[in-house]
Amino acid sequence: VLFISIPVGLLVANIVFVHSIIDSEADREVGKMTFARLLGGKRGQLAGLLGVFLISYGSIILGVAMNKLSVFYLAVLLTLPMAAALFYLVWQILYRPEKQFFPKRWYGPMGDFKKYQQAQMDWFMLRWLLARNLLTLFCLIIIVVVFVE
């Protein structure tokens, strides 16, 4: 249970963490302290995000390597492209915020993205929804493995 609960918990917290990275400059201006701000600047925030992913996937790999989880749990590695895309999109918002991105089909459901664009919140929603979809797919894979094995 520990090998599964750690990554799921971290990926749940990651949704809020990504939000706090995006808002870290505004939070700094008003004196709000978040985990992203505690990590310092952009490099620390990206290191924290990378740590979330390394621990999440590493926990599953370790569980399989220690024979605590079946090899089928490695199917969560199918979500690695989503994690990599989220990391890249967060890097972009920190270093090149002017660059626009559009959702790809494999990012998962993005709601009515045209409405987000009209409201000029697509830059935020793309990252937030990708973090949510990463967690959702990760958990769905775990659920399927639990019922299949």
Side-chain angles (χ1 to χ4, degrees):
V1 174
L2 189 64
F3 293 106
I4 294 170
S5 62
I6 288 172
V8 169
L10 283 173
L11 292 175
V12 167
N14 188 54
I15 296 170
V16 176
F17 181 51
V18 166
H19 183 129
S20 69
I21 291 173
I22 293 169
D23 288 344
S24 64
E25 200 51 41
D27 291 342
R28 183 188 59 76
E29 290 174 9
V30 298
K32 182 178 177 185
M33 188 53 68
T34 63
F35 185 59
R37 291 226 21 248
L38 285 172
L39 292 175
K42 297 172 183 178
R43 285 180 150 181
Q45 293 167 358
L46 289 172
L49 184 59
L50 184 62
V52 165
F53 295 143
L54 288 175
I55 294 169
S56 295
Y57 292 101
S59 176
I60 298 293
I61 293 168
L62 184 63
V64 171
M66 294 176 65
N67 289 319
K68 300 294 181 184
L69 297 175
S70 79
V71 70
F72 296 112
Y73 282 94
L74 292 177
V76 299
L77 297 177
L78 293 171
T79 64
L80 268 172
M82 292 174 84
L86 180 57
F87 185 86
Y88 177 70
L89 288 170
V90 170
W91 182 88
Q92 284 289 343
I93 200 73
L94 291 173
Y95 289 100
R96 297 185 59 208
E98 71 285 349
K99 187 167 181 184
Q100 281 197 320
F101 289 92
F102 302 96
K104 299 189 178 10
R105 296 192 111 178
W106 56 271
Y107 285 3
M110 291 281 166
D112 190 347
F113 203 75
K114 289 183 182 184
K115 280 189 178 178
Y116 303 146
Q117 288 173 312
Q118 290 169 349
Q120 298 182 339
M121 54 188 296
D122 54 319
W123 61 274
F124 169 78
M125 293 302 292
L126 177 63
R127 290 153 180 89
W128 189 85
L129 290 168
L130 183 54
R132 179 206 64 186
N133 293 344
L134 169 62
L135 166 67
T136 302
L137 184 56
F138 194 98
C139 289
L140 283 174
I141 291 171
I142 288 172
I143 290 167
V144 168
V145 169
V146 166
F147 283 111
V148 168
E149 73 168 353

Coordinates of all heavy atoms in Angstrom, one line a residue, residues 22-82:
I22 N 2.9 28.5 -10.6 CA 2.4 29.5 -11.6 C 2.1 30.8 -10.9 O 2.4 31.9 -11.4 CB 1.1 28.9 -12.3 CG1 1.5 27.7 -13.2 CG2 0.4 30.0 -13.1 CD1 0.3 27.0 -13.7
D23 N 1.6 30.7 -9.6 CA 1.2 32.0 -8.9 C 2.3 32.5 -8.0 O 2.1 33.4 -7.2 CB 0.0 31.7 -8.1 CG -1.3 31.6 -8.9 OD1 -1.2 32.0 -10.1 OD2 -2.3 31.1 -8.4
S24 N 3.5 31.9 -8.0 CA 4.6 32.2 -7.0 C 4.9 33.7 -7.0 O 5.2 34.3 -6.0 CB 5.8 31.3 -7.2 OG 6.4 31.6 -8.4
E25 N 5.0 34.3 -8.2 CA 5.4 35.7 -8.2 C 4.3 36.6 -7.6 O 4.6 37.5 -6.8 CB 5.6 36.1 -9.7 CG 6.4 37.4 -9.9 CD 7.8 37.4 -9.2 OE1 8.4 36.3 -9.1 OE2 8.1 38.4 -8.6
A26 N 3.0 36.3 -7.9 CA 1.9 37.1 -7.3 C 1.9 36.8 -5.8 O 1.6 37.7 -5.0 CB 0.6 36.7 -7.9
D27 N 2.1 35.5 -5.4 CA 2.2 35.2 -3.9 C 3.3 35.9 -3.2 O 3.1 36.4 -2.1 CB 2.3 33.7 -3.8 CG 1.1 32.9 -4.2 OD1 0.0 33.5 -4.3 OD2 1.2 31.7 -4.4
R28 N 4.4 36.1 -3.9 CA 5.5 36.8 -3.3 C 5.2 38.2 -3.0 O 5.4 38.8 -2.0 CB 6.8 36.7 -4.1 CG 8.0 37.4 -3.5 CD 9.2 37.5 -4.5 NE 8.9 38.2 -5.7 CZ 8.8 39.5 -5.8 NH1 9.0 40.3 -4.7 NH2 8.5 40.1 -7.0
E29 N 4.5 38.8 -4.0 CA 4.1 40.3 -3.9 C 3.2 40.5 -2.7 O 3.2 41.6 -2.1 CB 3.5 40.7 -5.2 CG 4.5 40.8 -6.3 CD 3.8 41.1 -7.6 OE1 2.6 41.5 -7.7 OE2 4.5 41.1 -8.7
V30 N 2.3 39.6 -2.4 CA 1.4 39.8 -1.3 C 1.8 39.1 0.0 O 1.1 39.1 1.0 CB -0.1 39.3 -1.6 CG1 -0.6 40.1 -2.8 CG2 -0.1 37.8 -1.9
G31 N 3.0 38.5 0.0 CA 3.5 37.9 1.2 C 3.0 36.5 1.5 O 3.1 36.0 2.7
K32 N 2.3 35.9 0.6 CA 1.8 34.5 0.8 C 2.9 33.5 0.7 O 3.6 33.5 -0.3 CB 0.7 34.3 -0.2 CG 0.0 32.9 0.0 CD -1.1 32.8 -1.1 CE -1.8 31.5 -1.0 NZ -2.8 31.3 -2.1
M33 N 2.9 32.6 1.7 CA 4.0 31.6 1.7 C 3.4 30.2 1.2 O 2.4 29.8 1.8 CB 4.6 31.4 3.1 CG 5.8 30.5 3.1 SD 7.1 30.9 1.9 CE 7.7 32.5 2.5
T34 N 3.9 29.7 0.2 CA 3.5 28.4 -0.4 C 4.7 27.5 -0.5 O 5.9 28.0 -0.3 CB 2.9 28.6 -1.8 OG1 3.9 29.1 -2.7 CG2 1.6 29.5 -1.7
F35 N 4.5 26.3 -0.8 CA 5.6 25.3 -0.9 C 6.5 25.8 -2.0 O 7.8 25.7 -1.9 CB 5.1 23.9 -1.1 CG 6.2 22.9 -1.2 CD1 7.1 22.7 -0.1 CD2 6.4 22.1 -2.3 CE1 8.1 21.8 -0.1 CE2 7.4 21.2 -2.3 CZ 8.3 21.0 -1.3
A36 N 5.9 26.3 -3.1 CA 6.7 26.8 -4.3 C 7.6 27.9 -3.8 O 8.8 28.0 -4.2 CB 5.8 27.2 -5.4
R37 N 7.1 28.8 -3.0 CA 7.9 29.9 -2.5 C 9.0 29.4 -1.5 O 10.1 30.0 -1.5 CB 7.0 31.0 -1.8 CG 6.2 31.7 -2.8 CD 6.1 33.2 -2.7 NE 7.1 33.9 -2.0 CZ 7.0 34.5 -0.9 NH1 5.8 34.5 -0.2 NH2 8.0 35.2 -0.4
L38 N 8.7 28.4 -0.7 CA 9.7 27.9 0.2 C 10.9 27.3 -0.5 O 12.0 27.3 0.0 CB 9.1 26.8 1.1 CG 8.2 27.3 2.2 CD1 7.5 26.1 2.9 CD2 9.0 28.1 3.2
L39 N 10.6 26.8 -1.7 CA 11.7 26.2 -2.5 C 12.6 27.2 -3.2 O 13.6 26.9 -3.8 CB 11.1 25.3 -3.6 CG 10.5 24.0 -3.1 CD1 9.8 23.2 -4.2 CD2 11.4 23.2 -2.3
G40 N 12.2 28.5 -3.0 CA 13.0 29.6 -3.6 C 12.6 30.0 -5.0 O 11.4 30.0 -5.3
G41 N 13.6 30.2 -5.8 CA 13.3 30.6 -7.2 C 12.9 29.6 -8.1 O 12.5 28.5 -7.8
K42 N 13.0 29.9 -9.4 CA 12.5 29.0 -10.5 C 13.2 27.6 -10.5 O 12.6 26.6 -10.6 CB 12.7 29.7 -11.8 CG 11.9 31.0 -12.0 CD 12.3 31.7 -13.2 CE 11.5 33.0 -13.3 NZ 11.9 33.8 -14.5
R43 N 14.5 27.6 -10.2 CA 15.2 26.4 -10.2 C 14.8 25.5 -9.1 O 14.6 24.3 -9.3 CB 16.7 26.6 -10.1 CG 17.4 27.1 -11.3 CD 18.8 27.4 -11.1 NE 19.5 27.1 -12.3 CZ 20.8 27.2 -12.5 NH1 21.6 27.5 -11.4 NH2 21.4 27.0 -13.6
G44 N 14.6 26.0 -7.9 CA 14.1 25.3 -6.8 C 12.7 24.7 -7.0 O 12.4 23.6 -6.7
Q45 N 11.9 25.5 -7.6 CA 10.5 25.1 -7.9 C 10.5 23.9 -8.9 O 9.8 22.9 -8.8 CB 9.7 26.2 -8.4 CG 9.4 27.3 -7.4 CD 8.9 28.6 -7.9 OE1 8.7 28.7 -9.1 NE2 8.6 29.5 -7.0
L46 N 11.3 24.0 -10.0 CA 11.4 23.0 -11.0 C 12.1 21.7 -10.3 O 11.7 20.6 -10.7 CB 12.2 23.4 -12.2 CG 11.5 24.4 -13.1 CD1 12.5 25.0 -14.1 CD2 10.3 23.8 -13.7
A47 N 13.0 21.9 -9.5 CA 13.6 20.8 -8.8 C 12.5 20.1 -7.9 O 12.5 18.8 -7.8 CB 14.8 21.2 -7.9
G48 N 11.7 20.8 -7.3 CA 10.6 20.2 -6.5 C 9.6 19.5 -7.3 O 9.2 18.4 -7.0
L49 N 9.3 20.0 -8.5 CA 8.4 19.3 -9.4 C 9.1 18.0 -9.9 O 8.4 17.0 -10.0 CB 8.1 20.2 -10.6 CG 7.0 19.7 -11.6 CD1 5.7 19.4 -11.0 CD2 6.9 20.8 -12.7
L50 N 10.3 18.1 -10.3 CA 11.1 16.9 -10.7 C 11.1 15.9 -9.6 O 10.9 14.7 -9.8 CB 12.5 17.3 -11.2 CG 13.3 16.2 -11.7 CD1 12.7 15.6 -13.0 CD2 14.7 16.7 -12.0
G51 N 11.3 16.3 -8.4 CA 11.3 15.4 -7.2 C 10.0 14.7 -7.0 O 9.9 13.5 -6.7
V52 N 8.9 15.4 -7.2 CA 7.5 14.8 -7.1 C 7.4 13.7 -8.1 O 7.0 12.6 -7.8 CB 6.4 15.9 -7.4 CG1 5.1 15.2 -7.7 CG2 6.3 16.8 -6.2
F53 N 7.9 13.9 -9.4 CA 7.8 12.9 -10.4 C 8.8 11.7 -10.1 O 8.4 10.5 -10.3 CB 8.1 13.5 -11.8 CG 7.0 14.4 -12.2 CD1 7.3 15.6 -12.9 CD2 5.7 14.2 -11.9 CE1 6.4 16.5 -13.4 CE2 4.7 15.1 -12.3 CZ 5.0 16.2 -13.1
L54 N 10.0 12.0 -9.7 CA 11.0 11.0 -9.4 C 10.5 10.1 -8.3 O 10.6 8.8 -8.4 CB 12.3 11.6 -9.1 CG 13.1 12.2 -10.3 CD1 14.4 12.9 -9.9 CD2 13.4 11.2 -11.4
I55 N 10.0 10.7 -7.2 CA 9.5 9.9 -6.1 C 8.3 9.1 -6.5 O 8.2 7.9 -6.1 CB 9.3 10.8 -4.9 CG1 10.6 11.4 -4.4 CG2 8.6 10.0 -3.8 CD1 10.4 12.5 -3.3
S56 N 7.4 9.7 -7.2 CA 6.2 9.0 -7.6 C 6.4 7.8 -8.5 O 6.0 6.7 -8.1 CB 5.2 10.0 -8.4 OG 4.8 11.0 -7.6
Y57 N 7.2 7.9 -9.5 CA 7.5 6.8 -10.4 C 8.5 5.9 -9.7 O 8.4 4.6 -9.9 CB 8.0 7.3 -11.8 CG 6.9 8.0 -12.5 CD1 6.8 9.3 -12.6 CD2 5.9 7.2 -13.2 CE1 5.8 10.0 -13.3 CE2 4.8 7.8 -13.9 CZ 4.8 9.2 -13.9 OH 3.8 9.8 -14.6
G58 N 9.4 6.4 -9.0 CA 10.4 5.6 -8.3 C 9.8 4.7 -7.3 O 10.3 3.6 -7.1
S59 N 8.8 5.2 -6.6 CA 8.1 4.3 -5.6 C 7.5 3.1 -6.2 O 7.6 2.0 -5.7 CB 7.0 5.2 -4.9 OG 6.3 4.4 -4.0
I60 N 6.9 3.3 -7.4 CA 6.3 2.1 -8.1 C 7.4 1.2 -8.6 O 7.3 0.0 -8.4 CB 5.4 2.6 -9.3 CG1 4.3 3.5 -8.8 CG2 5.0 1.4 -10.1 CD1 3.2 2.7 -8.0
I61 N 8.4 1.7 -9.1 CA 9.6 0.9 -9.6 C 10.2 0.2 -8.5 O 10.5 -1.0 -8.6 CB 10.6 1.8 -10.4 CG1 9.9 2.3 -11.7 CG2 11.9 1.0 -10.7 CD1 10.7 3.4 -12.4
L62 N 10.4 0.8 -7.4 CA 11.0 0.2 -6.2 C 10.1 -0.9 -5.6 O 10.6 -2.0 -5.3 CB 11.2 1.3 -5.1 CG 11.9 0.8 -3.8 CD1 13.3 0.2 -4.1 CD2 12.0 1.9 -2.8
G63 N 8.8 -0.6 -5.6 CA 7.8 -1.7 -5.1 C 7.9 -2.9 -6.0 O 7.8 -4.0 -5.5
V64 N 8.0 -2.7 -7.3 CA 8.1 -3.9 -8.2 C 9.5 -4.6 -8.0 O 9.5 -5.8 -7.9 CB 7.9 -3.4 -9.7 CG1 8.3 -4.6 -10.7 CG2 6.5 -2.9 -9.9
A65 N 10.5 -3.8 -7.9 CA 11.9 -4.4 -7.7 C 12.0 -5.2 -6.4 O 12.7 -6.2 -6.4 CB 12.9 -3.3 -7.7
M66 N 11.3 -4.7 -5.4 CA 11.3 -5.4 -4.1 C 10.2 -6.5 -4.0 O 10.0 -7.1 -3.0 CB 11.1 -4.4 -3.0 CG 12.2 -3.4 -2.8 SD 11.9 -2.2 -1.6 CE 11.9 -3.2 -0.1
N67 N 9.6 -6.8 -5.1 CA 8.5 -7.8 -5.2 C 7.3 -7.5 -4.3 O 6.7 -8.4 -3.8 CB 9.1 -9.2 -4.9 CG 9.9 -9.7 -6.1 OD1 9.6 -9.5 -7.2 ND2 11.0 -10.4 -5.7
K68 N 7.1 -6.3 -4.0 CA 5.9 -5.9 -3.2 C 4.8 -5.5 -4.1 O 3.6 -5.5 -3.6 CB 6.3 -4.6 -2.3 CG 7.4 -4.9 -1.3 CD 7.1 -5.9 -0.3 CE 8.2 -6.1 0.7 NZ 7.9 -7.1 1.7
L69 N 5.1 -5.2 -5.3 CA 4.0 -4.9 -6.3 C 4.3 -5.8 -7.5 O 5.4 -6.1 -7.8 CB 4.1 -3.5 -6.8 CG 3.8 -2.4 -5.8 CD1 4.1 -1.0 -6.4 CD2 2.4 -2.4 -5.2
S70 N 3.2 -6.2 -8.2 CA 3.4 -7.0 -9.4 C 4.0 -6.1 -10.5 O 3.9 -4.9 -10.5 CB 2.1 -7.6 -9.9 OG 1.3 -6.7 -10.6
V71 N 4.6 -6.8 -11.5 CA 5.2 -6.1 -12.6 C 4.1 -5.3 -13.4 O 4.5 -4.3 -14.1 CB 5.9 -7.1 -13.5 CG1 5.0 -8.0 -14.3 CG2 6.9 -6.4 -14.4
F72 N 2.9 -5.6 -13.3 CA 1.8 -4.9 -14.0 C 1.7 -3.5 -13.6 O 1.2 -2.6 -14.3 CB 0.5 -5.7 -13.9 CG 0.5 -7.0 -14.5 CD1 0.4 -8.2 -13.7 CD2 0.6 -7.1 -15.9 CE1 0.5 -9.4 -14.3 CE2 0.7 -8.4 -16.5 CZ 0.6 -9.5 -15.7
Y73 N 2.1 -3.2 -12.4 CA 2.1 -1.8 -11.9 C 3.0 -0.9 -12.7 O 2.8 0.4 -12.7 CB 2.4 -1.7 -10.4 CG 1.2 -2.1 -9.5 CD1 1.1 -3.4 -9.1 CD2 0.2 -1.2 -9.2 CE1 0.1 -3.8 -8.3 CE2 -0.8 -1.6 -8.4 CZ -0.9 -2.9 -8.0 OH -2.0 -3.3 -7.2
L74 N 3.9 -1.4 -13.4 CA 4.8 -0.6 -14.2 C 4.0 0.0 -15.4 O 4.6 0.9 -16.1 CB 6.0 -1.5 -14.8 CG 7.0 -1.9 -13.7 CD1 8.1 -2.8 -14.4 CD2 7.6 -0.7 -13.0
A75 N 2.8 -0.4 -15.6 CA 2.0 0.2 -16.6 C 1.8 1.7 -16.3 O 1.5 2.5 -17.2 CB 0.6 -0.5 -16.7
V76 N 2.0 2.2 -15.1 CA 1.8 3.6 -14.8 C 2.9 4.4 -15.5 O 2.8 5.6 -15.7 CB 1.9 3.9 -13.3 CG1 0.8 3.3 -12.5 CG2 3.2 3.6 -12.6
L77 N 4.0 3.7 -16.0 CA 5.0 4.4 -16.7 C 4.5 5.0 -18.0 O 5.1 5.8 -18.7 CB 6.2 3.5 -16.9 CG 6.9 3.1 -15.7 CD1 8.1 2.1 -16.0 CD2 7.5 4.2 -14.9
L78 N 3.3 4.5 -18.4 CA 2.6 5.0 -19.6 C 2.3 6.5 -19.5 O 2.1 7.2 -20.4 CB 1.4 4.2 -20.0 CG 1.6 2.8 -20.4 CD1 0.3 2.0 -20.5 CD2 2.4 2.7 -21.8
T79 N 2.2 6.9 -18.2 CA 1.9 8.4 -18.0 C 3.1 9.3 -18.0 O 3.0 10.5 -17.8 CB 1.1 8.5 -16.6 OG1 2.0 8.1 -15.5 CG2 -0.1 7.7 -16.6
L80 N 4.3 8.7 -18.1 CA 5.5 9.5 -18.1 C 5.5 10.6 -19.2 O 6.0 11.7 -18.9 CB 6.8 8.6 -18.3 CG 7.4 8.1 -17.0 CD1 8.5 7.1 -17.3 CD2 7.9 9.2 -16.2
P81 N 5.0 10.4 -20.4 CA 5.0 11.5 -21.3 C 4.1 12.7 -20.8 O 4.5 13.8 -21.0 CB 4.3 10.9 -22.6 CG 4.7 9.4 -22.5 CD 4.6 9.1 -21.0
M82 N 3.1 12.4 -20.1 CA 2.3 13.5 -19.5 C 3.1 14.2 -18.4 O 3.0 15.5 -18.4 CB 1.0 12.9 -18.9 CG 0.0 12.4 -19.9 SD -1.4 11.6 -19.1 CE -2.5 13.0 -18.9

